[in-house]
Amino acid sequence: MSAFNAIGEEREIDREEFTPGIEPQPTWCPGCGDFGVLKALKQAMPEVGRTPDETLLVTGIGCSGKLNSYFESYGFHTIHGRSLPVARAAKLANPGLEVIAAGGDGDGYGIGGNHFMHTARENHDMTYIVFNNEIFGLTKGQTSPTSPKGHKSKTQPSGSAKDPIRPLSLSLTSGASYIARTAAVNPNQAKQILAEAMEHDGFAHVDFLTQCPTWNKDAKQYVPYIDVQESEDYDFDVHDRDEAAAMMREAEDSLNEGTVLTGRFYADDERPSYQEEKIAIGEMPEEPLAERYFDDDYEWERSADLLDRHK
Amino acid sequence: MAENELIWRIAGGSGDGIDSTSQNFAKALMRSGLNVFTHRHYPSRIRGGHTYVEIRAKDESVNSRGDGYNFLLALGDSFARNPKEGAYYGDEEVKPLTENLDDLREGGIIVYDTGLIDPDDVPDLDERAEENNWHVFGIDLRSMAREHGREVMRNTAGIGVTAALLDMDLDEMENLMESAMPEKILEPNLTILHEAYEMMQEEYEFDHELRVPQGEHEEDQVLISGSNGVAYGALDEGCRFIAGYPMTPWTDVFTIMSQHLPEFGGISEQVEDEIAAAALALGASHAGVKAMSGSSGGGFALMSEPLGLAEMSETPIVLVEAMRAGPSTGLPTKPEQGDLEHVLYSSQGDSNRLVFAPSTPSEAYDQTRKAFELAYEYQMPAIVVIDQKLSGENENVPESFFDREPNPDLGSVLTEEELEDAPHDPSGGTFNRFSHDDPEDDGVRPRSLPGQKGGRFLVTGNEHNEAGHIEEDPDNRVIQMDLRMKKLESVRSELDSDPESSHQTYFGPDEADYGIVTWGSSQGAVEEAVDRLNDDGHSVKAVGVSDLMPYPEEEMTAFLESVDEALVVEMNATAQFRGLTQKELGQFGEKLTSLLKYDGNPFEPAEIVEGFELQINGGTDAPSANTRLEPAIGD
Ligand SMILES: Cc1ncc(C[n+]2csc(CCOP(=O)(O)OP(=O)(O)O)c2C)c(N)n1
Ligand code: SF4
């Protein structure tokens, strides 16, 4: 008998199942964009058909990192910037899990920037949601890697001299195989994109625009937004790297001028995920590693088999 | 005087194949029935630069490199020559000869390669040889190698010469070469081996007394390094996931694991940095796989945050800290026991980790297994501390030692059936993984694994309530904190309750006036020093400590109460283990003198003998230029 019966359980799933019975009241400020992510995620889960017990949500630190307090699933609220390395090992150890990682722009593009680059490069099969509110929320309003140039904050009183990071372009050059941007103000698109990201077989990065009315007073509410898939003005092939790159640049340039472009920017359905690559070269077992510990018939390899070379 | 041991040193340029040659030679000696111990010295340089490997072979047991040595094979550093100008890099070329002479014992043998070393560049060689009664053989090993094969094969010529001088049989060496070398290079190597052997017998009269000792093993032996010990212990204990980032000397363990995990059905990941490495181990363990990571001092510093998360989230992991001399990048290829406090206390908050410091390759195997077992049973991080010396030294161990059952038990994990009866929050489906109830009264509350039906919970690095939700309530805080801290006490009583499984090693007589205390890899040299001291009429016993956290309070109190005074031997400048002992026991300050060494080289037994003699005579001057005596507090 399998130790992980929740995995692959097929049944009708209600989004209410993802609302925890305890502490249902998020501590986010009224009007915070994070509510939008939570809602979209809960709505996306039934579409993907995964149950709370087979889902592992790994978060970083920040207001965004509290997501799993309000989302019913297995959850690991880790440390600042480190959700990705924790998440990707959990996925390798038990590939049956639906693994979602989430955190803020400071968490994901700042302190965790190195992990972001490498997780994308390796194309781990997971979804990564970055709550991009262009500010450090939890630590009370410092400049973040996505704050626009000139943005004034308590730690950058004269205005930031730095250009903001380009999360979409960075993701593409790093190797993510699915890249999208959505916004809390656009619930239908957000739900759709999250569902697609979870179904994608590889590293799916969703830059999720969320407003922080508390610390980012001049925060754009990301309206009016334009959905690049719906708009007649934007015609590009999401499967074409060069066209996607050009679209991303345009989206990144125009964001600071007030034009909010959202939608799917890139999808590579051909590229094998990291676990597929590792299995192919014999560096990872085909059956989930975690199952083995519950299999009484499994014959455990012994170091004694290696001793010949030491004689 | 005929010596009952051979300490053979092969010196040359790093990258000249000294490692593989000496490994084979050590095995040949082991196969001939001797106990062997190897010690490796190398510079922080990839090619060229003076390096040596020492092999000590004896009929009796050996657990340290000994003092000095009695046979030098000086090969010449082929990388010392600048190919463009035909010039030398300083005196690198003759270093294999000049650098090694100080430690060569009286009556010893020197073989040097006249093909690469010009004896005229070695100051006073003849005078010193005469004074010390050294037997010197200048042999053109390079030409011999070139004539029948390639220049790098001068190692083999050196072995042939060694075997002839020591009156050794070539059979074992031949067998080893046959199994280790591809056909193409095997033939010329065998030719060179015999050529050198026969040439020596034909052309030289030997008047030296050194011969290879005779010995016999009752059981089959294997030659294992400290890194092998850690890796094989991990594999047998069911570790199937490792994540790491290279850093000397941790790289050894990482490499061995990476080579074997795929064939053992496991996963190895080389990742972007050490923070990621420890975080991956956490993720894999959280998902239900026995996982490890590790590093050396600097990389371990990066791991302190995930280490704290492991403590708070009660996720079992095993980390290896392979120490080298610090601070910072320090002496990258030299040993030190200077990271003790770093390992015990790094990361924020009150620590409840386990720390073990094995002293030999076989202990490394045992204690790594114990580290996994306890980490998973008690859901906490365990750290295995080794150092550059232990990681690289080889020792023969009976093959049957490794004949143990694997242990894939994940410790305190509930099955889905058990989860049905486990406490859940009444308002939701959440399993109270951090329940206030402590079923076994040992601080451990069994966990569930992601993917198990009915087991979902939240875990966070923040203080949390029973279901794992962030919670700052003072009463809950105290309960959770106490339960976490209790685990360390539980491990202590588990270890205490079974004296048979004590990790401390005692040697010397049961009753003695004086004690020596040491930990980790310095133990071998202390063991030998204790034998000599007792032979010289002193009354000394010693303990090598391996349990660092929880500290073996009872055992150490009993030991220290039973002696008048004790010398604490460790490789660092600030007497860290003595500090730990005083902190944990809250007494004995006036009984403990420290003998410290931090020059990048491990202790030799003679330094400990001398340090001890100075100490009992009330001296405070260091026994040698590179050691230091730190008097007892209140002395
Ligand atoms: C190593 C470390 N450094 C700093 C912090 C403090 N810290 C907590 S949240 C945060 C910034 C979070 O910003 P962001 O990721 O943008 O998330 P938001 O709160 O805006 O959702 C910082 C700096 C920390 N917890 N850990
Ligand atoms: S501080 Fe900003 S990001 Fe944090 S909860 Fe409030 S509005 Fe949201």
Side-chain angles (χ1 to χ4, degrees):
Chain A
M1 182 181 145
S2 165
F4 301 100
N5 284 306
I7 294 176
E9 188 191 359
E10 278 189 41
R11 58 174 173 83
E12 280 289 303
I13 297 156
D14 188 325
R15 72 188 166 96
E16 284 315 313
E17 285 186 44
F18 293 90
T19 302
I22 46 172
E23 214 184 316
Q25 275 308 316
T27 55
W28 292 319
C29 312
C32 174
D34 294 4
F35 287 102
V37 188
L38 178 62
K39 190 167 165 208
L41 187 60
K42 284 184 186 172
Q43 285 178 331
M45 293 313 295
E47 304 236 332
V48 188
R50 305 303 292 256
T51 64
D53 277 341
E54 62 185 326
T55 305
L56 174 63
L57 175 62
V58 185
T59 57
I61 297 291
C63 299
S64 46
K66 292 186 176 169
L67 179 72
N68 47 15
S69 290
Y70 320 123
F71 181 76
E72 184 78 24
S73 73
Y74 277 95
F76 202 152
H77 178 230
T78 64
I79 39 180
H80 200 28
R82 317 297 166 206
S83 63
L84 287 174
V86 172
R88 67 201 211 213
K91 181 73 184 183
L92 291 174
N94 194 346
L97 295 171
E98 181 66 40
V99 176
I100 305 164
D105 42 275
D107 188 81
Y109 304 145
I111 190 166
N114 196 23
H115 308 311
F116 175 49
M117 203 164 88
H118 287 275
T119 312
R121 165 167 89 104
E122 290 167 3
N123 198 32
H124 286 269
D125 183 14
M126 61 171 68
T127 300
Y128 185 37
I129 309 170
V130 181
F131 296 48
N132 183 357
N133 57 10
E134 303 184 1
I135 194 92
F136 281 13
L138 193 71
T139 45
K140 306 194 172 166
Q142 300 82 4
T143 314
S144 100
T146 48
S147 301
K149 192 170 185 175
H151 175 87
K152 288 188 177 158
S153 72
K154 286 182 214 158
T155 50
Q156 227 103 75
S158 316
S160 168
K162 303 175 194 183
D163 270 329
I165 241 165
R166 295 169 165 269
L168 306 172
S169 302
L170 179 65
S171 188
L172 186 73
T173 41
S174 300
S177 53
Y178 179 94
I179 305 164
R181 171 175 268 172
T182 186
V185 288
N186 187 1
N188 283 333
Q189 185 206 41
K191 175 189 86 175
Q192 219 32 59
I193 280 181
L194 288 182
E196 227 177 81
M198 281 186 263
E199 271 160 3
H200 176 76
D201 196 8
F203 187 65
H205 167 218
V206 179
D207 185 66
F208 208 120
L209 300 171
T210 55
Q211 65 279 8
C212 172
T214 304
W215 302 111
N216 216 357
K217 291 288 182 214
D218 47 34
K220 311 164 198 77
Q221 296 296 306
Y222 305 116
V223 275
Y225 64 85
I226 298 163
D227 183 332
V228 292
Q229 263 81 35
E230 298 292 312
S231 164
E232 310 243 307
D233 299 340
Y234 300 93
D235 180 25
F236 73 106
D237 179 358
V238 286
H239 302 294
D240 185 297
R241 223 184 153 78
D242 293 335
E243 289 186 27
M247 234 359 269
M248 288 177 188
R249 269 199 304 280
E250 186 170 343
E252 284 157 346
D253 286 340
S254 64
L255 183 65
N256 296 320
E257 280 127 39
T259 308
V260 184
L261 300 183
T262 63
R264 283 158 290 267
F265 289 89
Y266 184 61
D268 179 351
D269 304 325
E270 307 293 310
R271 184 174 170 204
S273 70
Y274 186 60
Q275 73 194 42
E276 286 165 344
E277 300 270 19
K278 267 186 95 86
I279 290 171
I281 59 167
E283 273 199 357
M284 179 169 158
E286 285 187 38
E287 75 288 358
L289 196 44
E291 285 277 3
R292 190 175 301 169
Y293 290 84
F294 293 88
D295 179 354
D296 292 337
D297 297 328
Y298 186 80
E299 193 142 339
W300 287 81
E301 301 83 351
R302 314 264 294 266
S303 76
D305 301 341
L306 304 173
L307 294 181
D308 271 349
R309 72 189 76 198
H310 296 286
K311 284 183 185 162
Chain B
M1 184 198 84
E3 296 192 63
N4 68 350
E5 64 178 354
L6 168 71
I7 306 184
W8 182 80
R9 184 183 285 195
I10 178 173
S14 99
D16 269 338
I18 281 177
D19 241 12
S20 52
T21 307
S22 57
Q23 188 79 4
N24 271 342
F25 190 56
K27 279 186 193 167
L29 290 165
M30 175 180 81
R31 285 181 177 191
S32 78
L34 294 166
N35 292 309
V36 293
F37 183 95
T38 77
H39 164 78
R40 183 171 163 214
H41 169 103
Y42 60 104
S44 186
R45 208 171 123 173
I46 307 305
R47 304 205 124 188
H50 175 247
T51 173
Y52 66 76
V53 176
E54 230 170 61
I55 302 171
R56 186 179 191 194
K58 241 178 132 146
D59 179 24
E60 296 147 43
S61 78
V62 276
N63 36 31
S64 87
R65 61 183 292 201
D67 304 298
Y69 66 103
N70 51 20
F71 192 121
L72 172 65
L73 174 60
L75 284 177
D77 182 347
S78 66
F79 296 101
R81 196 180 289 274
N82 180 334
K84 284 217 179 79
E85 296 141 38
Y88 299 142
Y89 290 126
D91 60 356
E92 290 282 295
E93 187 119 311
V94 291
K95 264 192 181 169
L97 192 47
T98 53
E99 288 283 296
N100 292 288
L101 293 180
D102 285 352
D103 299 331
L104 183 61
R105 293 183 188 171
E106 237 180 83
I109 296 176
I110 298 176
V111 174
Y112 68 90
D113 184 359
T114 54
L116 277 160
I117 296 174
D118 181 354
D120 293 341
D121 289 342
V122 182
D124 313 328
L125 180 60
D126 292 342
E127 289 89 327
R128 294 184 71 181
E130 181 145 353
E131 242 168 64
N132 292 292
N133 187 27
W134 290 334
H135 305 267
V136 185
F137 300 86
I139 315 265
D140 192 353
L141 302 172
R142 179 160 83 150
S143 300
M144 218 181 287
R146 273 186 174 167
E147 194 181 321
H148 302 283
R150 285 188 292 127
E151 185 168 329
V152 287
M153 298 176 187
R154 59 191 196 286
N155 284 334
T156 307
I159 298 285
V161 170
T162 301
L165 285 166
L166 295 175
D167 202 10
M168 278 175 75
D169 211 28
L170 287 182
D171 292 357
E172 291 299 359
M173 200 62 207
E174 275 174 30
N175 292 340
L176 281 160
M177 282 163 62
E178 272 159 22
S179 56
M181 290 178 179
E183 194 66 41
K184 228 172 79 191
I185 60 162
L186 177 65
E187 276 313 311
N189 269 296
L190 288 176
T191 312
I192 292 166
L193 183 72
H194 284 277
E195 174 97 5
Y197 188 81
E198 277 144 31
M199 183 278 292
M200 286 306 287
Q201 288 190 322
E202 281 160 24
E203 295 183 19
Y204 291 88
E205 296 268 316
F206 307 144
D207 59 356
H208 58 269
E209 294 191 16
L210 184 67
R211 293 289 180 277
V212 65
Q214 300 296 308
E216 206 182 321
H217 289 303
E218 276 163 24
E219 292 179 64
D220 286 347
Q221 304 284 312
V222 289
L223 190 66
I224 297 284
S225 71
S227 295
N228 284 131
V230 171
Y232 293 1
L235 290 171
D236 285 353
E237 203 57 27
C239 170
R240 289 296 178 272
F241 189 97
I242 192 170
Y245 188 84
M247 184 166 184
T248 306
W250 141 258
T251 310
D252 254 12
V253 173
F254 185 32
T255 308
I256 299 167
M257 291 294 282
S258 303
Q259 272 161 1
H260 299 304
L261 268 179
E263 65 196 62
F264 277 44
I267 298 175
S268 165
E269 282 284 288
Q270 183 184 320
V271 296
E272 58 271 26
D273 58 35
E274 287 85 351
I275 310 177
L280 263 99
L282 267 176
S285 176
H286 183 68
V289 171
K290 284 194 180 171
M292 78 191 286
S293 182
S295 190
S296 300
F300 187 78
L302 292 182
M303 293 180 168
S304 69
E305 221 199 358
L307 178 67
L309 179 61
E311 295 182 5
M312 187 52 131
S313 65
E314 306 193 46
T315 311
I317 48 166
V318 174
L319 298 178
V320 176
E321 219 268 47
M323 301 179 287
R324 64 194 214 187
S328 192
T329 23
L331 297 170
T333 62
K334 303 287 178 68
E336 199 169 88
Q337 297 176 296
D339 293 350
L340 175 60
E341 292 182 349
H342 184 47
V343 163
L344 291 173
Y345 310 120
S346 70
S347 124
Q348 63 278 55
D350 296 305
S351 302
N352 64 343
R353 70 202 62 175
L354 307 171
V355 183
F356 301 106
S359 64
T360 61
S362 50
E363 266 186 35
Y365 174 88
D366 272 341
Q367 283 161 29
T368 304
R369 290 198 67 158
K370 200 74 188 169
F372 270 98
E373 188 196 317
L374 293 172
Y376 279 77
E377 188 180 333
Y378 291 91
Q379 307 175 347
M380 62 200 292
I383 302 168
V384 178
V385 195
I386 57 171
D387 62 30
Q388 188 271 346
K389 170 174 140 59
L390 178 56
S391 91
E393 69 195 15
N394 282 270
E395 199 179 51
N396 59 299
V397 177
E399 188 182 4
S400 59
F401 175 85
F402 296 95
D403 199 12
R404 320 271 187 96
E405 284 307 307
N407 179 21
D409 183 6
L410 284 176
S412 330
V413 173
L414 297 175
T415 62
E416 289 190 347
E417 297 81 79
E418 287 167 332
L419 273 167
E420 281 175 23
D421 301 325
H424 281 69
D425 189 89
S427 56
T430 313
F431 159 54
N432 279 348
R433 186 249 181 278
F434 300 101
S435 157
H436 288 177
D437 297 331
D438 178 6
E440 308 285 335
D441 198 32
D442 59 1
V444 181
R445 292 146 297 166
R447 61 180 179 141
S448 60
L449 303 174
Q452 283 185 313
K453 219 172 171 156
R456 62 181 183 271
F457 66 96
L458 174 64
V459 56
T460 164
N462 287 54
E463 190 57 88
H464 41 267
N465 62 18
E466 297 186 69
H469 281 270
I470 297 175
E471 170 75 71
E472 298 191 343
D473 172 70
D475 295 337
N476 174 69
R477 159 71 179 176
V478 171
I479 293 169
Q480 296 292 358
M481 198 64 207
D482 288 348
L483 285 169
R484 283 191 299 269
M485 300 311 292
K486 196 175 183 184
K487 295 192 285 186
L488 197 62
E489 288 309 312
S490 310
V491 175
R492 194 194 303 267
S493 29
E494 180 175 335
L495 291 174
D496 281 351
S497 68
D498 181 11
E500 289 292 299
S501 74
S502 165
H503 293 153
Q504 283 52 257
T505 318
Y506 296 91
F507 34 97
D510 288 344
E511 307 277 326
D513 299 340
Y514 294 96
I516 299 185
V517 178
T518 191
W519 65 281
S521 78
S522 295
Q523 187 181 305
V526 170
E527 278 189 65
E528 189 157 341
V530 167
D531 284 346
R532 288 194 214 170
L533 285 166
N534 285 304
D535 285 350
D536 290 349
H538 290 291
S539 168
V540 194
K541 61 178 182 176
V543 57
V545 183
S546 294
D547 293 342
L548 304 179
M549 196 185 265
Y551 188 86
E553 222 175 271
E554 282 180 24
E555 281 185 74
M556 289 306 287
T557 305
F559 181 87
L560 291 173
E561 274 174 353
S562 73
V563 294
D564 298 339
E565 261 188 79
L567 185 68
V568 188
V569 177
E570 55 183 323
M571 283 190 278
N572 59 54
T574 51
Q576 297 185 24
F577 185 77
R578 183 174 86 173
L580 173 69
T581 300
Q582 284 174 222
K583 173 176 182 284
E584 291 285 330
L585 304 183
Q587 53 171 331
F588 301 122
E590 73 298 341
K591 268 193 187 181
L592 306 175
T593 299
S594 280
L595 178 63
L596 305 170
K597 187 173 183 185
Y598 47 94
D599 69 346
N601 292 305
F603 277 105
E604 291 178 17
E607 290 171 325
I608 298 164
V609 168
E610 226 178 304
F612 179 87
E613 282 170 347
L614 282 164
Q615 178 222 357
I616 61 167
N617 292 323
T620 50
D621 287 342
S624 71
N626 291 339
T627 56
R628 196 153 69 79
L629 264 183
E630 180 109 339
I633 290 168
D635 226 24

